[in-house]
């Protein structure tokens, strides 16, 4: 487990300090295995120049009566467009706004508020009044797998809420987030069926004493989420109680800047708010391949370790800013494959100003954009990412 945590941190997946067991294992598999699988691809990047926009929302255009829409310059079926709109709604939602800080303040002094593991998460850390050290935690994660068949449920605020039996800590529930997005008008089957249109948030507690108090606070937070969606009082990023730069942005904003010789032919649509996976093909029949993929994501890394190389990554520069770059050993008759990881935007500090803890770096994170594809694609998109999301400050 310690090895897994070190790997998570080096990959830019900030391991939660308070969680262990199945929780870390599951998060590792869901969020970090793609990075491990593609670590052999690594990244190479060169400076590039192109005029780019930095819009934070997807441009959605209907394509007549064909049952298709254009998102980020890619035409997708209505069903898949609905999933991408759900992902956009998640990015626009402030998970910290679901917490009742007055209620939690009755239990302890709030020292931490904000994301510590992923952009789609908010953690509230509080020092219970009967303690001198060791924070208690409540966490809301808006990008979590849907419930599995047979998992138990419990009635909270008039809704059957799934009990997350695979989570460590005091209590954990999966709450449906039913955003008011329009259903598909064409009835066309989405390209990717295994990702539900209804997204789920996981609410959990850890290190609360007694554990029953942690469960009570979790259930109160679950009720707050259910009521917020029922009454359409969803907290928004533009009125966030925690400053989280780039949390409203999509990695798919890079797609309109794909090299001209490549055409995106398939959008692997899903509700994951900070992942972007597409299949593209070369326009020229002389290309060494017919179709390939590009994977782009935005993730949190600990600020102090965001540029530590892992595996065969090396520390270099992309568009004049530090980055982790590398390249897979070439294979006969295949394009060279690369990856690049670039810290972007300002440092995120989840520690509140009045937190007396001296080591604030423990709670400081940085957004990293990761790109995996053939090198000619990463060479172009790497510098564009710096322009679109801003160099690390």
């Amino acid at each position: 487990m310690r090895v897994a945590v070190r790997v998570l941190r080096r990959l830019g997946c900030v391991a939660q300090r308070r969680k262990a067991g199945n929780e870390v294992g599951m998060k590792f598999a869901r969020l970090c295995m793609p990075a491990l699988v593609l670590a052999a691809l690594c990244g190479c990047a060169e400076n590039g120049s192109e005029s780019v926009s930095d819009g934070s929302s997807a441009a959605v255009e209907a394509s007549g009566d064909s049952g298709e829409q254009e998102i980020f310059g890619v035409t997708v079926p209505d069903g898949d467009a609905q999933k991408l709109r759900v992902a956009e709604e998640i990015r626009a939602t402030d998970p910290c706004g679901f917490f009742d800080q007055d209620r939690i303040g009755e239990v302890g002094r709030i020292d931490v508020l904000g994301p510590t593991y992923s952009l789609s998460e908010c953690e509230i850390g509080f020092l219970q009044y009967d303690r001198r050290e060791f924070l208690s935690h409540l966490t809301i994660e808006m990008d979590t797998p849907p419930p599995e068949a047979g998992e138990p449920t419990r009635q909270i605020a008039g809704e059957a809420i799934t009990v997350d039996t695979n989570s460590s800590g005091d209590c954990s529930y999966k709450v449906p987030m039913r955003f008011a997005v329009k259903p598909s008008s064409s009835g066309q089957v989405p390209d990717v069926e295994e990702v539900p249109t209804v997204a789920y948030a996981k609410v959990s507690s850890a290190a609360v004493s007694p554990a029953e108090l942690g469960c009570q606070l979790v259930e109160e937070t679950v009720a707050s989420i259910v009521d917020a969606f029922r009454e359409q009082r969803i907290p928004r990023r533009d009125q966030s109680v925690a400053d989280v730069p780039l949390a409203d942005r999509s990695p798919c904003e890079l797609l309109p800047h794909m090299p001209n010789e490549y055409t995106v032919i398939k959008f692997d649509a899903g509700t994951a708010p900070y992942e972007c996976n597409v299949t593209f093909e070369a326009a020229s029949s002389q290309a060494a391949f017919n179709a390939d993929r590009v994977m782009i994501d935005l993730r949190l890394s600990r600020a102090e370790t965001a540029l530590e190389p892992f595996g065969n990554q090396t520390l270099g520069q992309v568009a004049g800013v530090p980055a982790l770059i590398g390249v897979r050993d070439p294979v006969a008759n295949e394009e060279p494959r690369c990856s690049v990881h670039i810290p972007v935007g300002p440092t995120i500090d989840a520690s509140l100003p009045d937190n007396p803890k001296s080591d604030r770096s423990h709670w400081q994170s940085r957004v990293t954009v990761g790109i995996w594809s053939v090198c000619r694609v990463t060479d172009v998109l790497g510098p564009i990412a710096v322009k679109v999301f801003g160099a690390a400050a």
Side-chain angles (χ1 to χ4, degrees):
M1 186 53 61
R2 291 178 181 175
V3 172
V5 170
R6 287 197 298 269
V7 170
L8 284 166
R9 285 176 173 167
R10 287 180 176 271
L11 283 172
C13 301
V14 182
Q16 297 183 55
R17 293 152 293 280
R18 65 196 183 282
K19 297 185 178 180
N22 291 338
E23 182 75 357
V24 170
M26 290 181 66
K27 285 193 173 183
F28 178 81
R30 179 168 63 89
L31 296 177
C32 296
M33 282 307 294
L36 282 175
V37 171
L38 290 165
L41 306 186
C42 294
C44 52
E46 298 173 358
N47 293 352
S49 60
E50 183 176 342
S51 176
V52 300
S53 63
D54 58 356
S56 60
S57 61
V60 182
E61 299 179 1
S63 300
D65 297 325
S66 65
E68 295 181 334
Q69 299 181 41
E70 186 173 292
I71 300 181
F72 295 111
V74 180
T75 300
V76 298
D78 280 349
D80 289 345
Q82 184 180 2
K83 295 178 182 179
L84 295 172
R85 287 196 296 270
V86 169
E88 186 171 11
E89 287 289 335
I90 295 174
R91 289 191 296 271
T93 299
D94 172 26
C96 296
F98 291 116
F99 287 124
D100 185 344
Q101 293 190 51
D102 291 337
R103 169 70 175 105
I104 297 171
E106 297 173 358
V107 178
R109 183 191 68 225
I110 299 173
D111 288 341
V112 172
L113 182 68
T116 61
Y117 181 82
S118 72
L119 280 172
S120 52
E121 171 212 62
C122 182
E123 176 180 326
I124 188 166
F126 53 99
L127 183 65
Q128 293 184 234
Y129 292 124
D130 57 353
R131 292 183 183 176
R132 293 185 177 181
E133 57 182 352
F134 303 118
L135 296 183
S136 303
H137 306 271
L138 298 180
T139 303
I140 299 173
E141 169 57 76
M142 297 191 298
D143 182 18
T144 192
E148 299 177 1
E151 285 190 297
T153 62
R154 181 168 182 174
Q155 285 289 323
I156 301 178
E159 179 144 3
I161 303 298
T162 300
V163 179
D164 185 11
T165 56
N166 293 319
S167 178
S168 62
D170 303 326
C171 280
S172 183
Y173 291 94
K174 291 184 177 181
V175 190
M177 297 188 293
R178 297 188 176 92
F179 293 103
V181 298
K182 295 181 180 179
S184 170
S185 60
S186 67
Q188 188 168 350
V189 178
D191 284 346
V192 183
E193 296 186 66
E194 64 271 17
V195 181
T197 300
V198 177
Y200 286 82
K202 181 166 67 174
V203 185
S204 58
S205 62
V208 181
S209 179
E212 292 77 12
L213 174 60
C215 292
Q216 180 181 346
L217 293 174
V218 166
E219 291 174 7
E220 291 173 3
T221 304
V222 168
S224 173
I225 296 174
V226 171
D227 289 342
F229 276 88
R230 182 180 293 150
E231 300 167 10
Q232 288 301 299
R233 295 183 290 101
I234 303 170
R236 294 298 183 179
R237 293 281 188 188
D238 57 4
Q239 298 177 337
S240 178
V241 298
D243 184 22
V244 187
L246 300 179
D248 61 343
R249 306 293 295 276
S250 170
C252 293
E253 292 176 39
L254 299 185
L255 292 184
H257 307 289
M258 285 282 290
N260 292 333
E261 63 266 30
Y262 300 135
T263 302
V264 175
I265 58 175
K266 185 175 183 295
F267 211 137
D268 292 343
T271 60
Y274 302 107
E275 297 178 8
C276 185
N277 304 320
V278 300
T279 301
F280 62 89
E281 65 181 2
S284 172
S285 60
Q286 302 299 317
F289 62 96
N290 293 321
D292 217 307
R293 293 170 56 80
V294 58
M295 300 172 61
I296 313 168
D297 67 16
L298 295 175
R299 63 180 64 180
L300 280 191
S301 302
R302 287 194 64 179
E304 59 186 12
T305 60
L307 287 171
E308 286 189 3
F310 176 78
N312 56 358
Q313 293 176 334
T314 58
L315 180 61
Q317 287 195 341
V318 173
V321 303
L324 295 176
I325 57 179
V327 60
R328 189 185 72 175
D329 292 336
V331 178
N333 299 321
E334 287 190 9
E335 288 260 2
R337 308 191 64 81
C338 302
S339 72
V340 58
H341 293 80
I342 314 167
V344 291
T347 297
I348 298 172
D349 191 348
S351 182
L352 296 180
D354 294 335
N355 186 349
K357 187 173 181 178
S358 59
D359 183 14
R360 301 183 66 88
S361 64
H362 189 71
W363 304 104
Q364 290 178 340
S365 304
R366 189 176 292 285
V367 178
T368 300
V369 57
I371 309 169
W372 296 265
S373 190
V374 295
C375 296
R376 284 198 286 175
V377 170
T378 59
D379 287 350
V380 171
L381 295 187
I384 295 297
V386 177
K387 294 181 180 181
V388 168
F389 299 112

